[in-house]
Structures are given as structure tokens and as C-alpha cells.
Amino acid sequence: MVRGVSMAKAIRVVLLCVSVLWVVPKECACTRNYSRDSSSSLPTLSQRPSSVNVGALFTYDSFIGKAAKPAFKAAMDDVNADQTVLKGVKLNIVFQDSNCSGFIGTMGALQLMETKVVAAIGPQSSGIAHMIAYVANELHVPLLSFGATDPTLSSLQYPYFLRTTQNDYFQMHAIADFVSYSGWRQVIAIFVDDECGRNGVSVLGDVLAKKRSRISYKAAITPGADATFIKDLLVSVNLMASRVFVVHVNPDSGLHVFRVAKSLGMMGSGYVWIATDWLPTAMDSMDPVDSNTMDLLQGVVAFRHYTNDSTAKTQFMARWKNLTPNVGFNSYAMYAYDSVWLVARALDVFFRENNKITFSKDPNLHKTNGSTVQLSALSVFNGGEKFMKIILGMNHTGVTGPIQFDSDRNRVNPAYEILNLEGTGPRRVGYWSNHSGLSVVPPEILNSNPPNTSTANQHLYGIIWPGEVTKSPRGWVFPNNGKPLRIGVPNRVSYTDYVSKDKNPPGVRGYCIDVFEAAIELLPYPVPRTYILYGDGKRNPSYDNLVNEVVADNFDVAVGDITIVTNRTRYVDFTQPFIESGLVVVAPVKEAKSSPWSFLKPFTIEMWAVTGAFFLFVGAMVWILEHRFNQEFRGPPRRQLITIFWFSFSTMFFSHRENTVSSLGRLVLIIWLFVVLIINSSYTASLTSILTVRQLTSRIEGIDTLVASNELIGVQDGTFARNYLVNELNIAPSRIKFLKDEEQYLSALQLGPKDGGVAAIVDELPYIEVLLTNSNCKFRTVGQEFTRTGWGFVCNYTLKQLTCLYIIFAVYLQLSDTRILNPILQAFQRDSPLAVDMSTAILQLSEEGELEKIHRKWLNYKHECSMQISNSEDSQLSLKSFWGLFLICGITCFMALTVFFWRVFWQYQRLQPENADEERAGEVSEPSRSGRGLRAPSFKELIKVVDKKEAEIKEMLKQKSNKKLKATESAAGSSHSQRENP
């Protein structure tokens, strides 16, 4: 069974393997609680033993194994030759062949453990790693894998497992970023059905979902499948719409996929092939690659582990031909080489911390329960936990670059090269790293900058795709399954200009059909289709039922005047708009009667009140400012009061006869006349509009009035309006009356609710436009449009193999009366790559004016009606339109009044007589100290001053000034006489 092992020993190993596999699951469910028996320990070794055993488990006869074995030997020789690392301790690698078998690999791991290894390097297979990781956990021996990339090899489940290569978790992120960068929304995953394949594709699906993409189909290949199986699988996926294939298989058998694809013509133009790191590994191992193999791979994009360019890497590659001239060099050889050095450096630290290599017996392995199986050959590494912590803490540089591990035990700064296989070999078009995403700059340069994975920062060089195409493929085609689209069309009996039955091919006609066909003609590929009428032709079908037929896969598409509402968007997709819609209320209207009080309508009550108050206020201000200067504002109190009122309201017509004299009065009047001019002009314009424009009125003012009443409401048969009124507005179902066609609409509105008709009709705007024009504008919409929706063609979320054409035209989504501006575009992009082409086609129709031409062809109305009646209250001028003018006028009046009263108070102070005591004091004091005291102002005297004319005040001030001057001269003469006659 294993070379060099005797039959007896083989039997013993098998029994040991079975026993361990029996013990391990049992131990998983319980808590480990045992103490190692020191008496059972092996003889204590010196702190620095003469040699240390390290196991190497891998498949010799494989692309990875062929390169790993010489790398292991080279690393062992280099470590033993370097006296600065283990300082005389010889590193011995014990090799074991796993032979691509989980069972043999597990036995090989047990045989390695018998040799008292302190660490095991390998395996290369993720499936085998899952099994022997349990053995490593049980015996506390670190297991370092240089080739197991399965993302589910978790450090929590396997605490003694460590991956020295890159984790496929990051590779799937790189592929997802590349798919998103290229604009593809769906991919088909082709993978080998083992732990590595399944788990890697599962991670890819999760990452793509975050980027609004998905795996449309998972094509699993049985391990070791022959060409016939692969051919059948590729034939089935070739019938699907997606043309983006992600191939995640083994390097030893993966090329068979491309050989079969080449024979099926799937390596030509329009196809996209993305291969994970297995393909560069296979090609590097085959170096030089023969021309036949390169012919298979033209245009393929592959991801390869990126290792920094360094002197150590260059030297190692240069000596590779001397190590093994017949084996190609690949990245796994470098990971194997670095794994040995990682163990050696960690052992050096282990020894320097005064740790010893000792082994002990595990009592759990001796619980045979009467069995004759002997497990004494297996021992637990006592320093395994300490050694594992040292390995995880290592930080040095190897031939693959910096070797350091994060908290999840993954290599830090994972990166991949993106290769384009064309010509005679691979060409590097860029890099990917979790630090910066896609870039043409090497990752080690960008790692020194802050992380930046924004969309604008993603760049790659040009790629030559299969078929020697330089333009990025669309990534999908219409499914090649020979089945035309089954398009459901509502068989309407009313408003047939939108969609209806036709005797001529294709059997349907109308505005919606023409828009649909025009968009189809712009697509760069044929779309086979057949139209199927839905409904009995006697009444409009239920559109909710039509949508349910699409959900049930009875139709692939529904084309017609289908409104987008919340409950429908849960199951189907919608796209670019071709017509707006929304619910409105239509009610009978009558011409408003003329009123003798119409002249009051231009202004609101508040506007009239404030305007009148300001007329009086400004009149009073002008009277105060002019009273002392202007004789026309003086006289008896009755005359002055009449003057105030007359002057106030005469300014409305600019007919005031009183002239303003004072500067302040003129300032206030100028500002007020400007305000009056604006108010008069606005009033005249508004009144003219009210008296000359035909006024229509309705007792139904809008949806609120309709909801509050108890009258019947008419809705179109088959539409969503009934459910909206009942479910959203809580209108009783008994108040809803279904109307079949336009004639019933008009008849019901004319009869009214008292004679068996309806009070109003609630329907969508496009139908109402037709109704109003065909009724010679006898009816009008009242209130505002209370929903914003759109019409669209419908498609199922879950159509098999994308046999559905997502051609839906809508821009607004009704969601609890909330206007949604842009969710529809995101919804269809998530599930339909075809919808992107259709949206482009519809935009092209709009830009070229084709949509307008189709609209005029079908919906050219004979009468243009004003859709909504005018509301006189809405046209009234309110205070908010003029408060700025009133504010300016008020501030001007306040400032003028302040200046006026300050001047009056100043004059009042100057007119006050001097205090007698101060006059006597002034006679005996120095002339320079003459002063006068101010009496407290008297309000009565102040009013007298205000009431006097300005000329009188000036005369009084002049007389007082002369009197004071004479008194001063008399006092001065008397003092001079006394000095001359002492």
C-alpha cells in the first residue's frame, strides 16, 4: 500500500488510522480534560537537539507536487547550511506521498506523526487537509499547508492549521471585482465537485451578490470525470444566456475543460473564460507550453498568486534549473520553500526561549475499550501550542515576499496577477489586491498609500478576448434553446389605442406594441417572440392576474399598459420608461356663477386687512411729520382727523391734494407710493383674470373630498385602482363601481350618484387624457395627481436560463404614495443583463424622437382640454407675496418718526428757562463757569412744543438767544463799573 512498508506494518497503520478517526469525532463533542503523565514521557532531550524532524505530505505525481519536492529539498539544504538559524541543529524533512487520496493521506499523516515531527507541511489538497487537520489538532502538531486554498479551512475549527499560501477567499473577491469592472451581471461557475471547488464557488456567489451580480448556474464536475461527462456539461451550459464562465478546477485535469470547449466552438468571439490560479500553475509547470495548448487558451483571463519581485526570488528562480531541469517552476514551489524556512526560523525562536522538544502519551488514545489496537506509536507534542503561537507571530521576508499573518491566520496583503493568454504566452494586464482592488501598479507600491478600492480607481490594460476581439464582450446572448419568448398581451375592450387584438400578424396592435417592436429592432441580435392574448375579449382582464401568469412561468413577458405597483415589484422587474402615469380624480364641473363681490377676490382677507391698516398708519405718520410745517395739516381736531383719513386713502389713487413740505414726510410718502403702485398693479391683473377667464367649479375638490363622502366611485375594470382605493385609502368596497368602457364612464358621470351613476371616477392619467378629449371637455380632473407611477412590460425574477426578455418601461414606483426616482434601474440590473441593452435602445428611441412619433400616431387627440379646473382660492394674492414691501415701508416710517421726535425733544430742552439759583450763583462765580440746570421735562409742555408751528419754535429760540446775549452784556458792563469805582 505504501512503498517501503511491510504488510504487518501496513495493517497496524490502517488500524491506527481507523482508531484515530473513531476517537477524533468522539472527542469533538466533549471537553478535553486530561493531564499528561510525566512518567510516560520520552527521555528528555537537550534544549538544542542534534536534529529535528519536519513532515512533508503532498502528492508526488502532480503539477504542484513535482515542483514542491525539489523546493523542500532545496530549503532543507539551505537551512542546514545556514549556521545562523538553528545553530547546529539539523533539520530533517520526512516525505510522505498522499497519492491524491484522503484515506492514504490520513495514513501518511499518522506515519509522519510516528517520527516525532514538530510540524507537518502540507497537504496540497484542501479535501485531505480537512481530514488530517483533525490529527494535527489531536497531537498538537502545527500543520502548515502550502497548497490548500479552501476558504472554509477555519482557524476556529482547526487551531493547529495554518495556510502559508493565499486564501481562495481573496481570489474570489478578485474575480468578483473583475466581473464588476467589466460590467457583467451573471456568470456560470464550472468547478470540480470537492471541498475546494464547492466552497470557493460559494464564496464567489456571496461576493458577487454584494456587487449586484450573481452566479446564474453552477456546473459541477465530478472529480476524475472523463471527456464525455465534461462535454455533456458544457453543451448544457452553452444553451444558457450567460457567456461568462469562471473555471475553478484542479491543475492536473483542468485543461480537459478547454479542450472540450474548443471542440464545441465555445472558445470563439462572444465568450468569456476566467480561470483561477490552477491554470497559471499548470502552464508554469509545463514550461515551455506547447503551441497546441496555447491554441486552446487564446483570450482566457487567468489569476495567479502575486509574489513581490526581489533578489531572493530572482536567485531562487535562477537556480531552479539546477534543482530539477525537467519540472516547470510555479508559485507553489516558492510557497513550499518559504514554509520550510518559516518552520526553521520559528524553531530557532522556540529554542532561544528555552523551550524543549518533548512528547507525551495521550490517555485518550489508549482507551481501547477491549480492542487489540495499539496506539502507543502516537505521541502529543508538548510544546505544540507554544510553537504554533511562535509561528503565527513570525514576521520576515521570503522568496514570496513578506511572511506575516493576520488575526484570521491569512497572509497579509494578499494579491494576484491578472493574466491574458494570447499569442504564445500569458501577458500581464494588471494586479488585484485587497488594499487597492484592480490596478496596473504593483501592489507593494500601492500598499504604502491609504486603501482605495473606489470604482474610479480601478484600472487594467486592454484585454484580447476569445476570437481576437479587443472590445469587452457583452457577456451574454439570447438563449440558444430554440424557444421564442411567450409574450402575454392584455385583450382590452376599452382604450384600444394602447393595446388590442389585431387580425393581421403579429395578432396585436397599439401604442405599447409599437414601442416594444421599435426597441426590439434596435437590439444587435434577433429575438424570436410570439404574442399571446390574455383575456376573453368581453371585458378588460385583471392585470394582477396577468402578472401572476408571468410569475407562474406561463408567460415570459407581459407587454401592455401595465402599471408598476408595490405588490407587483416583489415578483417581477421593470426598466426604462416610455410613459408617465398616476391616479387622478375626474368629476362633473359647471361654470361658476358671477358674484357681485368678485372685486374682493384678488386679495385674501389677511391681505385686505394689512393693506387697510397700512393706509391709516402711513396717513398718521405723514400727519405727524407735516403737522408743524404744513398749514394743510393744521386746524381744529375734527378737521385734522378728516385730513388723516382723506390723505391715507387718496394715496391709493395718487389723488391726494395736500402737499408735503418736510423732508421726512416726503421720504415716507415716496416709499408708500411705491408700495401702492405695486399693490394696485397686482390687484388689477388678478381682477382682470378672474373676470375674463372662464371659471369652472365642482363640488368634488379632490381625493380627500371623495374619501370623506359616501358616494359611489367609478374605476376601470381590471386596473389596480380598486385595490389602491380599498387597501391604501380605506374606502369601502361597496362604494367602488367597475366601468367597462368609455361609454359607461361618460354615462355614469352624467347620471351622478343619485340616478345610478357615480360622483367621480378614479383612473390613470393616460386614460383620462383620452376620456376628456373624446367627451368634448365636459369633465375635468379635480385636485392633484395623488400617485406617481408608470407603465411597464413585466418579466419574472426566476425565469429559467434567462428565457425572459426584460423589456419594461417605467420610471416611477408607487410605494405608499411616495415618489421613487431611481430604484427601478437598480432592480432590473441585478437580474437581467438583457435589460441594459433594452434601456439603451429605449433611450435611443427617445433621443431620436421615435417615441414622440409613435405617441402622435396613436394618441393624437382631437380636442385639447385643460386637464384641471382652476381654483379661485389658489389664484388669490396673499400677504406672503407683499410682506417685504410692507416691512420696508414700516422701517422707513419708524426711522423718520425717531428723527422727528429727537429733534422735537432737542428744541424742547433749549426752550426751558434757566434756574434762578443758578443765575445767582453765576453772578458771584467766574464768567467761565456760567451754566444752567435742566428741569425734568413736562409731558404737557412737550405736547405744546410739538403742536406749535416750526416757524414759531424757531422765533422763540431766536428771541431767547437774543435775550441771553443782552443779559450777558449787561452783567459784563456792571462788573466793569464796579472795578473802576472801588
Side-chain angles (χ1 to χ4, degrees), residues 2 134 157 240 288 343 367 409 442 509 540 574 644 683 689 753 766 779 867 922:
V2 179
Y134 287 110
Q157 184 180 7
M240 301 178 186
V343 173
K367 295 178 181 179
R409 300 189 181 186
R509 61 191 295 273
N540 292 334
F574 300 92
I644 292 175
Y683 174 85
S689 175
F779 308 100
M867 288 294 297

Side-chain angles (χ1 to χ4, degrees), residues 521-823:
E521 293 300 325
L522 293 178
L523 296 181
Y525 43 84
V527 180
R529 55 198 178 277
T530 179
Y531 292 96
I532 304 173
L533 288 170
Y534 180 76
D536 56 10
K538 298 179 180 179
R539 57 181 298 182
N540 292 334
S542 170
Y543 281 58
D544 286 336
N545 293 340
L546 175 58
V547 172
N548 291 334
E549 290 293 323
V550 177
V551 176
D553 202 19
N554 295 325
F555 293 128
D556 297 325
V557 182
V559 174
D561 49 335
I562 303 171
T563 307
I564 305 167
V565 291
T566 305
N567 62 331
R568 295 174 185 171
T569 59
R570 298 189 181 111
Y571 312 105
V572 293
D573 281 345
F574 300 92
T575 74
Q576 198 66 22
F578 73 96
I579 194 169
E580 285 190 19
S581 182
L583 290 179
V584 293
V585 178
V586 179
V589 295
K590 58 182 179 179
E591 189 171 356
K593 296 181 179 180
S594 180
S595 172
W597 304 101
S598 297
F599 67 90
L600 295 176
K601 291 182 179 180
F603 289 163
T604 61
I605 297 176
E606 294 80 6
M607 181 63 183
W608 279 117
V610 172
T611 303
F614 256 84
F615 271 110
L616 296 175
F617 174 72
V618 172
M621 291 300 101
V622 173
W623 177 84
I624 292 173
L625 299 174
E626 292 291 319
H627 180 71
R628 302 181 66 200
F629 298 88
N630 196 336
Q631 184 62 33
E632 295 182 355
F633 289 87
R634 302 184 64 84
R638 180 180 177 183
R639 177 184 174 186
Q640 296 184 46
L641 186 62
I642 294 175
T643 301
I644 292 175
F645 278 94
W646 164 253
F647 183 84
S648 299
F649 292 102
S650 63
T651 55
M652 180 186 302
F653 310 103
F654 307 99
S655 60
H656 50 283
R657 63 185 182 185
E658 294 81 7
N659 295 321
T660 52
V661 177
S662 67
S663 300
L664 294 176
R666 289 176 176 177
L667 175 63
V668 170
L669 185 60
I670 288 174
I671 299 298
W672 173 242
L673 291 179
F674 175 74
V675 174
V676 170
L677 176 65
I678 300 300
I679 292 175
N680 281 344
S681 301
S682 303
Y683 174 85
T684 303
S686 180
L687 182 61
T688 301
S689 175
I690 292 174
L691 296 179
T692 57
V693 177
R694 182 186 179 192
Q695 300 294 314
L696 301 177
T697 183
S698 173
R699 61 186 184 85
I700 303 297
E701 298 179 356
I703 188 63
D704 294 333
T705 306
L706 199 59
V707 171
S709 68
N710 293 319
E711 297 175 328
L712 290 178
I713 303 172
V715 297
Q716 184 181 172
D717 193 12
T719 64
F720 80 102
R722 186 263 183 193
N723 291 336
Y724 182 86
L725 295 177
V726 173
N727 298 331
E728 301 294 334
L729 302 182
N730 298 320
I731 295 177
S734 58
R735 294 181 53 196
I736 307 299
K737 183 175 182 178
F738 288 106
L739 303 175
K740 180 180 178 181
D741 51 30
E742 297 174 55
E743 294 182 0
Q744 290 189 1
Y745 269 50
L746 300 176
S747 176
L749 286 174
Q750 290 174 351
L751 290 175
K754 294 182 180 180
D755 297 326
V758 296
I761 288 175
V762 175
D763 205 348
E764 296 180 73
L765 187 59
Y767 303 126
I768 297 305
E769 290 177 346
V770 177
L771 176 69
L772 296 184
T773 56
N774 292 343
S775 65
N776 294 324
C777 305
K778 292 181 180 179
F779 308 100
R780 291 290 192 277
T781 61
V782 293
Q784 299 295 323
E785 186 176 346
F786 57 94
T787 65
R788 298 289 292 176
T789 60
W791 284 1
F793 305 142
V794 179
C795 207
N796 193 357
Y797 270 131
T798 57
L799 293 176
K800 300 176 182 178
Q801 301 180 3
L802 284 178
T803 57
C804 171
L805 179 63
Y806 293 85
I807 309 172
I808 307 129
F809 307 93
V811 68
Y812 298 115
L813 169 66
Q814 171 206 344
L815 183 59
S816 300
D817 287 346
T818 301
R819 183 173 180 174
I820 308 298
L821 294 179
N822 195 25

Side-chain angles (χ1 to χ4, degrees), residues 511 849-861:
Y511 171 71
E850 292 298 324
L851 283 181
E852 182 61 27
K853 292 180 181 178
I854 298 174
H855 189 278
R856 288 198 302 266
K857 171 185 175 182
W858 290 98
L859 307 174
N860 190 14
Y861 306 127

Side-chain angles (χ1 to χ4, degrees), residues 905 908-909 912 935-945:
F905 187 78
Y908 171 77
Q909 293 292 345
Q912 296 300 310
R935 295 186 304 167
S938 170
F939 180 76
K940 187 175 182 180
E941 294 177 353
L942 182 62
I943 292 300
K944 290 182 178 180
V945 173

Side-chain angles (χ1 to χ4, degrees), residues 248-284:
H248 185 49
V249 293
N250 297 324
D252 299 279
S253 58
L255 290 176
H256 295 320
V257 175
F258 289 102
R259 290 192 182 98
V260 176
K262 181 76 171 180
S263 66
L264 294 175
M266 297 175 63
M267 299 298 297
S269 176
Y271 289 87
V272 177
W273 291 90
I274 302 172
T276 54
D277 64 282
W278 69 267
L279 181 57
T281 299
M283 294 183 63
D284 293 340

